[in-house]
Amino acid sequence: MDKRLLESFVAVYRSGSLVEAAERLNISQSALSRRITEFQHRLGLSLFEPSGRGMAATSDAHDLLPLASAALEGIARLEAAARVNSVQPAVHITVAATAHTIETVVAPRIADFIQTKPNIRIGVIEANGVEIENLVLSGEASMGITGRPRYDTGLVEHQIVRLDILAASPKPFSASERRSGIDLRALCERDLLVLDRGYQSRLTLDAALRLLSLSPSIRHEGGSGTVILALARAGLGTAVIPATTRTDLHTAKIIANGIVLGMDLAAIWDPTLRWRAEVEQVAESMRASFATRKRMRRG
């Protein structure tokens, strides 16, 4: 199967428009239309139907998308293997993530990564959780780091780490709380300092509060972990932060219904991306870094 046909199918599926897909692939609309016609002819399927000024995917197209994405991923790996002993081209990768994720997850690992891959240049785009996926789908970002990817877009998802959500306070927690965590009901008896709803950790906290029908006193809602930790240090309340946030305060895991409150952080990218193999390497280096840190803590 011609890779260009797969890329054309996925691009039209994503955009719902021949015009937008042709712009993204940097080919003419007529050339893209011929590719889609050829792809449908080879498969013996009708994949798109006219819908207003766009193209609506058929049920066959919905079924085919994950297979096409997987095929493109396999091609990318094959191309990457073929480039191992060749001269490496300059690769520019842009990562979209929240400011907190850039500070705690992306930035600490960029320096180590580019030492081993000097041909790769990494830039970042600060965005809130809602924007990250759209930046990847539009092609403005090569990769997104998010705690809440959707599952109907055909984007590749690569889990990086499972993050606990912590309570942080200048006053020590009890011995049992340090060992087993602080129950969410007990935590809600305190004034809380929380991140805003652009953060997955806040959305996870809110979901647990709704589940248990709890209404805590939120003293401050901020867009920076540094700020809410400073307020906690000043004695204004207990901060709720993801485990990647560095702090000198006392911390404890948060327990809701006997389960440690946490979230999955994942890298997402478009399988039709030109440099998808290199993007996968960046994501894997982040995952491996967290795995190494966990093993060292256990040791």
Side-chain angles (χ1 to χ4, degrees):
M1 180 65 69
D2 190 330
K3 181 179 75 170
R4 294 174 301 173
L5 300 184
L6 292 169
E7 291 176 335
S8 298
F9 162 67
V10 173
V12 174
Y13 183 98
R14 292 266 171 67
S15 64
S17 165
L18 283 174
V19 175
E20 292 183 17
E23 289 178 353
R24 183 168 186 176
L25 295 172
N26 197 29
I27 62 175
S28 68
Q29 186 177 339
S30 59
L32 177 58
S33 181
R34 287 194 297 272
R35 287 187 187 179
I36 294 298
T37 299
E38 180 182 351
F39 192 50
Q40 293 182 126
H41 179 72
R42 288 194 184 188
L43 297 176
L45 298 173
S46 176
L47 300 175
F48 300 103
E49 298 173 344
S51 176
R53 296 185 177 180
M55 302 288 286
T58 65
S59 59
D60 286 330
H62 293 311
D63 293 339
L64 185 62
L65 179 65
L67 298 175
S69 298
L72 286 169
E73 189 72 10
I75 292 171
R77 294 183 184 216
L78 180 63
E79 291 174 341
R83 289 198 299 266
V84 168
N85 295 319
S86 64
V87 176
Q88 298 295 302
V91 178
H92 297 274
I93 293 173
T94 303
V95 181
T98 64
H100 181 268
T101 300
I102 291 172
E103 178 185 357
T104 60
V105 176
V106 180
R109 288 154 188 85
I110 287 179
D112 290 340
F113 180 80
I114 62 178
Q115 284 182 359
T116 60
K117 303 287 183 179
N119 64 307
I120 297 179
R121 301 290 182 267
I122 301 177
V124 298
I125 299 175
E126 291 185 24
N128 64 38
V130 176
E131 297 171 334
I132 292 170
E133 194 169 74
N134 291 334
L135 287 168
V136 175
L137 287 169
S138 69
E140 293 181 60
S142 314
M143 177 175 73
I145 307 294
T146 179
R148 51 177 183 182
R150 298 203 317 266
Y151 297 99
D152 59 348
T153 60
L155 295 177
V156 175
E157 178 187 345
H158 187 93
Q159 184 171 357
I160 294 176
V161 67
R162 172 75 176 178
L163 293 177
D164 294 333
I165 299 175
L166 308 177
S169 171
K171 297 180 181 180
F173 293 94
S174 69
S176 63
E177 289 171 340
R178 291 195 302 272
R179 181 176 60 255
S180 303
I182 181 171
D183 187 80
L184 185 58
R185 292 181 179 85
L187 182 65
C188 287
E189 295 174 2
R190 307 179 178 209
D191 289 334
L192 298 186
L193 308 165
V194 299
L195 293 165
D196 64 38
R197 289 184 174 86
Y199 291 85
Q200 179 62 24
S201 58
R202 170 63 186 280
L203 298 177
T204 302
L205 173 66
D206 285 352
L209 292 171
R210 287 194 299 271
L211 179 65
L212 299 178
S213 300
L214 298 173
S215 300
S217 170
I218 295 179
R219 188 75 178 272
H220 180 79
E221 178 179 356
S224 166
T226 303
V227 170
I228 65 171
L229 286 171
L231 294 175
R233 197 173 291 108
L236 296 185
T238 299
V240 179
I241 56 174
T244 48
T245 307
R246 294 183 179 180
T247 179
D248 56 354
L249 299 178
H250 300 282
T251 61
K253 297 177 182 179
I254 301 173
I255 308 297
N257 269 5
I259 299 173
V260 176
L261 211 58
M263 61 182 187
D264 292 313
L265 199 64
I268 56 174
W269 64 87
D270 187 336
T272 67
L273 184 71
R274 181 182 182 188
W275 304 119
R276 52 193 173 270
E278 288 77 9
V279 165
E280 182 178 357
Q281 292 172 14
V282 174
E284 176 58 23
S285 72
M286 293 182 183
R287 187 207 63 76
S289 176
F290 277 106
T292 300
R293 288 168 59 188
K294 283 186 176 180
R295 286 195 297 270
M296 291 176 63
R297 286 198 296 268
R298 290 170 185 163

